[in-house]
């Protein structure tokens, strides 16, 4: 399926070996870049298709099962385009999975080991991973807040105006050098009483405590703290002591950034940012390409001459939706109010202070009189949120203290009907209270001005009014069709507070229902690329939902003779699907035709009706398979039910996953992998069904119970469905917004079983909806090859096929 203005070129490729059109001709240029001796089945086709598509400024959308070699194929195509064409300057790889990030690094190193001129590679990480103070545990506040504050102080100490009134700034490297010298520990002075900042194997030439600027460099009576690592970067005229040849096979990672920067006294994050400008292949996270708050790092290097590789692309919609949604907590509103109040109070202390504040605000075109109105807005907004939450909770739960044990972990308070495009309650309140749209939109500029002034008059404050003003201003600029506004409550336990705040924290939440438009714009501004995953089908739905079918066309030269068609030639979007290439005789694939595992059919967990008994039997028989068995239920609540039913019915241990910390989940995973075979019961929407490598004998069987749809009654999800209906047609709304993502989740889970050509295992969907003829069937969301391979059987036949497969494969589960 293709939208207007997009070129669709579809090809479904099976697991047969790929052959070049002219097998006797010389190997294509990409073989000089390819990191291994011979490509896997289908890998050559993927590489050549990506190169051909990239040469035309298009995108390859590729579903490739485990064993396709997607990572090496994408990197080989990208490297060939860099070296053999003049269309691209660099490559950006983004993946949300740490394990996949490491795989790209290893494959790039394999490429560099073989080529004469290695690609300069760089792995991006966040500030917290690189900041010496954070790694040494010297920050009490968040890394972002502390870093920005120290950077502002440091730049203020080394900045100079040009004196010509043009507002240009230059950085005094000599002055920065003085700051560095003042911070360095002198072994011949009292400073030896301070310990050097140390983190693992790396020791900095500075103390752990953040230094204060010497009096000779402070511009007033208050000498600010500063970052000596940042000052050293300025002292080097923004050069860094790390080069690409410091990395293993020319790929610089966190280890090299820390080892080269910390002992030299330079900021490792600045080193990374400086290397980014010259890197040929950059490996990062989704945030580096799609998050407006993180893209500041990469925007200078990523443009229409960048070839992008988007890995795990089935996660794209959900992850970008999260990034583009805004949350403003009531605590942040109070802090923003306090920022403005503090500045107003200071201005009122004396004529001198008022004149000082007015002078500092003047470049921002903000007057001191406007601060009172902004403070009033924040005060009244806080009261409005407090009242709205109190009223809602009283109606829903009555006395919260009495109901405390039964309160839900999260609560959504919709501020408009999710089914109707209309103004939300908070916006309506502001309008009725006399706060115009232009005033609300101005909160960003006023907040930024207040924060800038406070950075001068009260540098010790950690301000939020700039960020809060920006987010509140966006509340008024975003439409009501694609964005859904609500108040969200998150469970907490704070006995020292009064009323509902003893039980919940509240936030204004502006939810991005439809990321397609933002994604389309982002892809339009890039040169081309590859989007890939093991679970993208149906690809026509994926293309529409991530905006590829509406990707901006390449511009013509703007001459009068140019026709409209010549000026708007569409960019190609090419599809490839590569099926599982491992021996089919090593796996059993079943659809257990049990009644749909829906809330209406199964009832509550305590109700052991016929549907639940059928599933309990099927799961017990599947769990008898030798080795480790992973059972994936639609929710953690249902996982707890399954675990309880299985615990006394099996001879092997039964582990039950639940919503918990990363550390707890990791401990559970280690227990599952250790020793003899076990059963692990989890939620299909949990963290153990994606991005976990169950290679070797770590997993022998995976069964997905039901279709893991999100809560369709949630106001937020109803708003998403409505937005998809408006964008893609109402008849497609449920399928696009809910069914397809749920089936991709299920496919990700069963994809954990067979990870190599020698592995043996069982994959099962347990629910009639995976059969083609069932009511509300989801079978058309599966690729053709999977529909053909999965054998439908009744629940009572599970015992027989389990025993038969074990007999035919004596090595199974070993």
């Amino acid at each position: 399926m293709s939208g207007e203005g997009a070129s669709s070129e579809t090809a479904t490729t099976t697991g047969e070996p790929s052959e070049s059109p002219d097998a006797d001709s010389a190997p294509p240029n990409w073989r000089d870049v390819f990191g291994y001796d011979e490509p896997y089945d289908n890998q050559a086709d993927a590489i050549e298709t990506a190169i051909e598509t990239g040469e035309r400024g298009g995108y390859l959308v590729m579903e490739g099962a485990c064993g396709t070699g997607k990572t090496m194929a994408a990197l080989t195509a990208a490297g060939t385009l860099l070296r053999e064409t003049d269309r691209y300057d660099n490559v950006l790889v983004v993946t949300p999975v740490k394990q996949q990030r490491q795989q790209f690094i290893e494959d790039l190193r394999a490429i560099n080991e073989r080529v004469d001129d290695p690609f300069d590679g760089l792995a991006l990480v966040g500030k917290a991973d690189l900041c010496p103070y954070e790694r040494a545990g010297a920050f009490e506040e968040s890394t972002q807040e502390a870093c920005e504050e120290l950077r502002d102080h440091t730049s203020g100490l080394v900045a100079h105006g040009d004196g010509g009134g043009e507002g240009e700034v230059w950085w005094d490297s000599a002055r920065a050098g003085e700051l560095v010298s003042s911070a360095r520990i002198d072994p011949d002075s009292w400073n030896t009483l301070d310990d050097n900042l140390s983190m693992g194997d790396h020791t900095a030439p500075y103390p752990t405590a953040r230094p204060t600027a010497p009096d000779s460099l402070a511009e007033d009576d208050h000498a600010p703290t500063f970052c000596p690592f940042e000052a050293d970067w300025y002292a080097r005229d923004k050069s860094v002591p790390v080069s690409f040849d410091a990395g293993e096979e020319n790929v610089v990672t966190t280890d090299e950034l820390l080892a080269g920067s910390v002992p030299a006294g330079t900021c490792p994050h600045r080193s990374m940012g400086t290397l980014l400008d010259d890197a040929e292949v950059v490996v990062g996270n989704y945030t580096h390409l799609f998050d407006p708050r993180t893209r500041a790092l990469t925007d200078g290097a990523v443009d229409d001459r960048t070839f992008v590789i988007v890995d795990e692309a089935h996660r794209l919609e959900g992850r970008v939706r999260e990034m583009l949604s805004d949350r403003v907590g009531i605590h942040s509103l109070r802090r923003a109010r306090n920022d403005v109040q503090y500045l107003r109070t200071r201005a009122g202390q004396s004529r001198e202070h008022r004149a000082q504040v007015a002078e500092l605000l003047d470049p921002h075109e903000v007057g001191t009189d406007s601060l009172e109105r902004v403070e009033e807005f924040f005060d009244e907004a806080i009261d409005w949120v407090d009242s709205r939450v109190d009223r809602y909770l009283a109606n829903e739960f009555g006395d919260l203290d009495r109901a405390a044990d039964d309160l839900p972990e999260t609560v959504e308070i919709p501020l408009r009907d999710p089914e109707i495009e209309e103004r939300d309650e908070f916006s309506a309140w502001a309008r009725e209270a006399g706060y115009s749209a232009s005033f609300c939109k101005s909160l960003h500029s006023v907040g930024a001005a207040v924060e800038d002034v406070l950075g001068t008059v009260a540098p010790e404050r950690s301000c939020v009014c700039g960020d809060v003003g920006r987010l509140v201003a966006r509340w008024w600029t975003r439409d009501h069709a694609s964005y859904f506004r609500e108040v969200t409550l998150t469970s907490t336990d704070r006995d020292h507070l009064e009323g509902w705040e003893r039980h919940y924290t509240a936030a204004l939440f502006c939810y991005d229902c439809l990321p397609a438009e933002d994604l389309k714009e982002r892809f339009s501004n890039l040169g081309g690329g590859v989007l890939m995953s093991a679970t993208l089908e149906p690809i026509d739905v994926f293309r529409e939902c991530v905006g590829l079918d509406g990707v901006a066309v390449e511009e013509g030269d703007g001459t009068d003779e140019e026709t409209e068609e010549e000026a708007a030639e569409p960019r190609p979007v090419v599809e490839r699907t590569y099926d599982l290439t491992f021996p089919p005789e090593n796996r059993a694939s079943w659809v257990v035709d049990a009644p749909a595992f829906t809330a209406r059919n199964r009832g509550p967990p305590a109700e052991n009706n016929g549907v639940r008994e059928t599933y309990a039997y099927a799961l017990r028989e599947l769990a008898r398979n030798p080795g480790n068995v992973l059972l994936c239920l639609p929710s953690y609540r249902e996982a707890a039910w399954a675990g309880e039913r299985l615990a006394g019915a099996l001879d092997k241990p039964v582990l039950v996953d639940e919503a918990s910390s990363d550390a707890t989940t990791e401990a559970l995973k280690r227990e599952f992998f250790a020793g003899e075979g076990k059963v692990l019961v989890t939620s299909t929407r949990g963290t153990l069904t994606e991005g976990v490598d169950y290679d070797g004998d770590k997993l022998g069987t995976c069964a997905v119970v039901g279709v893991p749809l999100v809560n369709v009654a949630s106001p937020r999800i109803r708003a998403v469905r409505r937005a998809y209906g408006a964008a893609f047609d109402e008849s497609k709304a449920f399928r696009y917004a809910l069914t397809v993502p749920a089936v991709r989740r299920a496919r990700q889970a069963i994809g954990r079983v067979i990870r190599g050509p020698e592995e043996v295992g069982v994959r099962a969907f347990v629910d009639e909806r995976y059969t083609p003829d069932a009511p509300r069937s989801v079978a058309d969301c599966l690729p053709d090859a999977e529909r053909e391979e999965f054998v439908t059987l009744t629940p009572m036949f599970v015992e027989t096929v389990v025993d038969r497969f074990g007999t035919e494969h004596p090595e199974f589960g070993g």
Side-chain angles (χ1 to χ4, degrees):
M1 186 179 300
S2 172
E4 294 182 8
S7 173
S8 173
E9 302 181 13
T10 305
T12 300
T13 305
T14 65
E16 296 300 319
S18 174
E19 295 183 1
S20 300
D22 184 2
D24 295 328
S25 63
N29 291 336
W30 62 263
R31 289 187 179 272
D32 296 333
V33 177
F34 188 69
Y36 302 108
D37 291 336
E38 292 295 331
Y40 292 150
D41 293 350
N42 297 318
Q43 219 171 9
D45 180 76
I47 294 167
E48 290 166 10
T49 304
I51 291 171
E52 179 186 349
T53 307
E55 286 179 322
R56 299 158 60 196
Y59 288 93
L60 169 63
V61 181
M62 175 172 59
E63 172 171 313
C66 182
T68 306
K70 299 185 293 295
T71 303
M72 179 59 76
L75 283 175
T76 300
T80 303
L81 287 165
L82 275 183
R83 291 287 160 88
E84 302 293 334
T85 76
D86 62 357
R87 187 173 192 114
Y88 299 99
D89 293 332
N90 57 10
V91 176
L92 175 62
V93 178
V94 291
T95 176
V97 180
K98 288 184 178 180
Q99 181 176 301
Q100 284 300 105
R101 177 178 174 273
Q102 187 59 38
Q103 185 62 55
F104 276 104
I105 292 171
E106 291 173 3
D107 278 9
L108 179 57
R109 285 172 173 160
I111 288 173
N112 280 348
E113 190 176 4
R114 295 173 66 96
V115 298
D116 294 332
D117 182 15
F119 295 94
D120 291 335
L122 177 67
L124 300 181
V125 292
K127 284 183 180 177
D129 292 311
L130 293 176
C131 177
Y133 289 117
E134 173 64 26
R135 292 182 70 100
F139 282 154
E140 295 180 0
E141 60 271 62
S142 74
T143 305
Q144 187 68 28
E145 289 181 4
C147 176
E148 289 305 315
E149 180 181 355
L150 286 175
R151 281 187 172 182
D152 288 345
H153 293 178
T154 308
S155 63
L157 289 166
V158 301
H160 284 290
D162 66 351
E166 298 298 325
E168 295 182 4
V169 174
W170 59 276
W171 313 104
D172 190 335
S173 58
R175 188 164 181 163
E178 291 182 56
L179 285 175
V180 173
S181 296
S182 73
R184 285 182 177 271
I185 290 181
D186 182 355
D188 297 325
S189 75
W190 63 271
N191 274 346
T192 53
L193 297 175
D194 292 337
D195 291 330
N196 286 68
L197 187 149
S198 181
M199 26 173 291
D201 297 331
H202 311 304
T203 301
Y206 313 121
T208 302
R210 281 156 277 180
T212 300
D215 293 340
S216 60
L217 297 181
E219 295 184 355
D220 51 33
D221 295 337
H222 181 84
T225 56
F226 69 95
C227 177
F229 298 95
E230 179 84 352
D232 188 78
W233 181 64
Y234 283 116
R236 295 172 183 268
D237 286 324
K238 299 185 178 181
S239 64
V240 295
V242 184
S243 59
F244 289 105
D245 58 14
E248 181 183 342
E249 300 296 344
N250 248 55
V251 183
V252 174
T253 66
T254 301
D255 291 341
E256 291 79 32
L257 290 169
L258 293 174
S261 301
V262 174
T266 299
C267 172
H269 191 261
R270 289 297 195 189
S271 293
M272 183 181 73
T274 302
L275 290 177
L276 175 62
D277 292 335
D278 298 316
E280 293 177 284
V281 181
V282 178
V283 181
N285 191 283
Y286 274 12
T287 58
H288 296 116
L289 183 61
F290 301 111
D291 192 333
R293 290 156 291 197
T294 308
R295 277 172 43 185
L297 174 68
T298 55
D299 270 349
V302 176
D303 54 26
D304 60 359
R305 292 186 60 81
T306 297
F307 187 86
V308 66
I309 300 172
V310 180
D311 186 43
E312 301 292 333
H314 67 281
R315 298 189 181 191
L316 196 53
E317 281 176 89
R319 288 298 179 95
V320 172
R321 181 179 286 128
E322 293 173 9
M323 294 173 196
L324 299 181
S325 298
D326 290 334
R327 181 185 183 278
V328 184
I330 193 169
H331 179 61
S332 295
L333 288 172
R334 289 180 178 131
R335 288 182 61 192
R337 184 269 317 276
N338 293 344
D339 288 343
V340 180
Q341 186 182 68
Y342 183 94
L343 190 59
R344 282 191 65 233
T345 300
R346 181 179 177 86
Q349 289 175 344
S350 67
R351 290 181 179 179
E352 290 78 11
H353 280 166
R354 184 175 181 83
Q356 180 196 31
V357 171
E359 182 181 359
L360 292 171
L361 285 173
D362 185 63
H364 301 278
E365 298 183 353
V366 173
T368 54
D369 293 340
S370 65
L371 300 182
E372 182 177 1
R373 183 67 168 159
V374 172
E375 183 182 341
E376 288 176 355
F377 171 82
F378 282 128
D379 260 333
E380 294 178 15
I382 293 164
D383 290 342
W384 186 89
V385 173
D386 178 71
S387 175
R388 185 68 180 86
V389 172
D390 188 61
R391 187 169 68 252
Y392 180 89
L393 291 177
N395 290 338
E396 291 290 320
F397 305 108
D399 188 313
L400 295 184
D401 291 334
R402 290 183 179 179
D405 292 339
D406 298 319
L407 292 176
E409 290 290 316
T410 59
V411 176
E412 291 181 67
I413 305 176
L415 300 182
R416 70 163 171 87
D417 185 336
E419 311 291 344
I420 301 173
E421 181 182 340
E422 61 182 358
R423 181 181 290 112
D424 64 278
E425 294 177 30
F426 184 65
S427 300
W429 159 79
R431 186 177 187 181
E432 292 171 5
Y435 297 107
S436 66
S438 60
F439 168 83
C440 295
K441 293 174 185 177
S442 74
L443 290 172
H444 181 198
S445 57
V446 174
V450 171
E451 192 164 323
D452 185 60
V453 173
L454 287 176
T456 300
V457 302
E460 72 283 355
R461 285 187 68 88
S462 177
C463 300
V464 301
C465 55
D467 280 341
V468 170
R470 173 177 56 83
L471 295 176
V472 174
R474 287 215 301 235
W475 186 283
W476 269 267
T477 57
R478 291 177 159 176
D479 65 80
H480 290 272
S482 302
Y483 293 88
F484 181 66
R485 292 149 173 86
E486 60 185 8
V487 175
T488 59
L489 305 181
T490 306
S491 179
T492 188
D493 185 12
R494 297 183 295 183
D495 290 338
H496 63 286
L497 297 179
E498 298 296 324
W500 61 263
E501 290 195 82
R502 289 163 58 91
H503 306 279
Y504 286 107
T505 58
L508 290 168
F509 197 74
C510 187
Y511 188 68
D512 182 356
C513 299
L514 190 70
E517 284 300 312
D518 295 283
L519 285 167
K520 179 180 71 174
E521 180 180 359
R522 192 64 177 135
F523 288 128
S524 296
N525 293 328
L526 299 168
V530 176
L531 292 85
M532 62 190 197
S533 168
T535 55
L536 286 186
E537 292 280 5
I539 291 181
D540 60 334
V541 177
F542 173 79
R543 287 173 49 166
E544 282 197 80
C545 291
V546 302
L548 280 180
D549 279 353
V551 72
V553 297
E554 295 187 13
E555 299 293 337
D557 60 13
T559 60
D560 294 338
E561 294 79 10
E562 203 169 49
T563 67
E564 183 177 348
E565 289 76 14
E566 289 172 333
E569 182 181 352
R571 297 169 68 176
V573 179
V574 179
E575 301 175 9
R576 286 290 189 274
T577 296
Y578 304 109
D579 304 326
L580 195 61
T581 59
F582 304 137
E585 60 271 17
N586 283 0
R587 60 185 184 266
S589 305
W590 304 322
V591 173
V592 180
D593 190 4
F597 199 68
T598 61
R600 176 180 296 179
N601 284 352
R602 66 182 182 253
E607 182 181 319
N608 290 323
N609 56 30
V611 171
R612 285 194 179 274
E613 289 303 317
T614 297
Y615 276 87
Y617 170 77
L619 292 179
R620 184 173 68 248
E621 294 305 314
L622 288 167
R624 285 198 304 110
N625 273 323
N628 282 342
V629 176
L630 180 68
L631 301 179
C632 308
L633 280 290
S635 67
Y636 285 117
R637 183 187 186 207
E638 293 300 331
W641 166 79
E644 183 179 350
R645 290 299 303 266
L646 293 171
L650 299 172
D651 294 331
K652 59 171 65 174
V654 177
L655 309 177
V656 180
D657 186 24
E658 59 186 18
S660 58
S661 67
D662 290 343
T664 300
T665 302
E666 281 298 311
L668 181 68
K669 188 169 65 176
R670 288 194 297 271
E671 183 180 0
F672 182 54
F673 292 160
E676 299 297 320
K678 304 177 186 66
V679 177
L680 175 57
V681 190
T682 187
S683 165
T684 314
R685 306 195 64 81
T687 58
L688 291 173
T689 58
E690 286 195 52
V692 180
D693 196 358
Y694 295 92
D695 59 327
D697 59 0
K698 292 177 182 175
L699 186 63
T701 299
C702 178
V704 174
V705 174
V707 180
L709 296 164
V710 295
N711 179 10
V712 296
S714 158
R716 189 182 302 173
I717 300 306
R718 290 165 59 203
V720 169
R721 181 178 174 183
R722 192 261 175 202
Y724 273 63
F728 304 119
D729 191 272
E730 185 57 39
S731 64
K732 301 176 180 177
F734 196 92
R735 172 179 165 84
Y736 280 24
L738 300 168
T739 304
V740 168
V743 175
R744 288 186 185 132
R745 277 270 188 179
R747 293 184 62 216
Q748 278 287 321
I750 64 164
R752 302 301 99 193
V753 179
I754 305 294
R755 312 298 289 176
E758 305 302 321
E759 295 185 12
V760 178
V762 171
R763 310 178 298 170
F765 292 124
V766 190
D767 191 303
E768 66 179 4
R769 286 172 289 177
Y770 290 99
T771 64
D773 300 325
R776 293 171 294 170
S777 170
V778 300
D780 64 341
C781 296
L782 301 172
D784 293 341
E786 282 186 15
R787 283 202 300 273
E788 293 172 4
E789 181 171 344
F790 274 76
V791 177
T792 301
L793 50 92
T794 64
M796 294 302 105
F797 199 59
V798 173
E799 179 181 3
T800 301
V801 296
V802 164
D803 291 340
R804 180 189 302 161
F805 189 76
T807 301
E808 294 173 351
H809 297 82
E811 76 278 22
F812 179 37

